[in-house]
Amino acid sequence: MKIKRVCVYCASSRRCDGAYHDSAERLGRILARAEITVVFGGGRSGSMGRLADGVLAEGGRIIGVIPHFMNDLEWAHPGLSELVLVHDMHERKRLMIQEVDAVVALPGGCGTFEELFEAMAWKRLGLFCGPIVIVNSRGYYRAGLELLEGAIAQNFMDERHRLLWSVVEEPEQVLDAIETAPVWESGNREFAVP
Ligand code: AMP
């Protein structure tokens, strides 16, 4: 299957270690070189801005989905291929994941966590069935992955739910992880209740 469109969740923080921003730019360049359209939250700051800069530097296509209020605050990246203005955060998240072949989460804060966990919850229910790739740069997601393992160990989820996500260490491994992710059918909805 040719990957055409990928949604990336990542940080707005300007103050995190610059290595995270560099990873975001690398991922943007990799996706653009593979002629994959990137969908993201539309922001100009932090990893979001660098992701977009990376895509644009390679002549790629990147679509931002941002609520009016953030655009009014001039939080949107000014050079995007397309900027979709939405009413609220719920509409933003729904549009971001719509019709993408995969979701990728780079390190980020509560906004990124929320987006990542929503994608997992939707996949568990068969509402989104594509690969979900977590980029564990500098081991950032170690604690989050332990949280998920704890949920499995205590039967809030079960072993099959480990197939919901894949983990890589570097952006350079993302395309391979998308291509080799286990197939998840909407029929797996029965997995919703362990
Ligand atoms: P975080 O990982 O907490 O930095 O959040 C990233 C997500 O938070 C984005 O996808 C947005 O939902 C939202 N967000 C927070 N701050 C900004 C900002 N300055 N510009 C655009 N989006 C932001």
Side-chain angles (χ1 to χ4, degrees):
M1 182 199 79
K2 165 92 179 96
I3 309 162
K4 296 199 189 80
R5 199 183 256 248
V6 166
C7 171
V8 179
Y9 303 134
C10 61
S12 58
S13 175
R14 294 186 170 96
R15 296 171 53 227
C16 62
D17 194 296
Y20 295 119
H21 296 153
D22 294 344
S23 289
E25 176 168 342
R26 271 155 55 207
L27 180 63
R29 286 179 180 271
I30 289 163
L31 295 174
R33 276 188 229 123
E35 298 182 349
I36 293 169
T37 296
V38 179
V39 182
F40 82 127
R44 70 198 301 170
S45 73
S47 298
M48 288 199 283
R50 288 288 296 280
L51 171 82
D53 292 344
V55 172
L56 295 167
E58 297 286 340
R61 179 168 167 72
I62 181 157
I63 302 169
V65 185
I66 201 163
H68 283 283
F69 85 89
M70 287 189 187
N71 193 45
D72 294 346
L73 292 168
E74 300 184 352
W75 286 4
H77 191 291
L80 302 177
S81 319
E82 195 181 329
L83 185 67
V84 180
L85 295 176
V86 293
H87 291 101
D88 55 38
M89 296 294 276
H90 292 288
E91 187 181 8
R92 181 200 217 186
K93 284 189 292 169
R94 188 169 52 74
L95 280 190
M96 281 170 75
I97 202 169
Q98 200 167 287
E99 290 170 20
V100 295
D101 300 306
V103 159
V104 178
L106 291 169
C110 57
T112 302
F113 298 158
E114 185 215 10
E115 292 163 339
L116 169 62
F117 274 81
E118 181 172 277
M120 285 185 189
W122 282 35
K123 188 165 172 178
R124 184 171 172 177
L125 295 169
L127 302 173
F128 167 76
C129 294
I132 297 175
V133 180
I134 297 170
V135 185
N136 185 36
S137 302
R138 297 157 55 98
Y140 179 75
Y141 276 106
R142 196 177 302 126
L145 294 166
E146 276 171 20
L147 186 71
L148 288 164
E149 286 300 326
I152 293 170
Q154 298 208 39
N155 294 321
F156 291 105
M157 295 163 71
D158 74 30
E159 299 289 335
R160 296 169 301 187
H161 294 124
R162 242 189 233 105
L163 299 179
L164 288 169
W165 65 87
S166 313
V167 182
V168 298
E169 302 302 315
E170 302 291 344
E172 285 71 19
Q173 298 165 312
V174 163
L175 288 182
D176 188 51
I178 293 174
E179 277 160 10
T180 58
V183 175
W184 185 268
E185 307 285 353
S186 57
N188 284 352
R189 198 168 282 159
E190 74 205 47
F191 293 3
V193 185

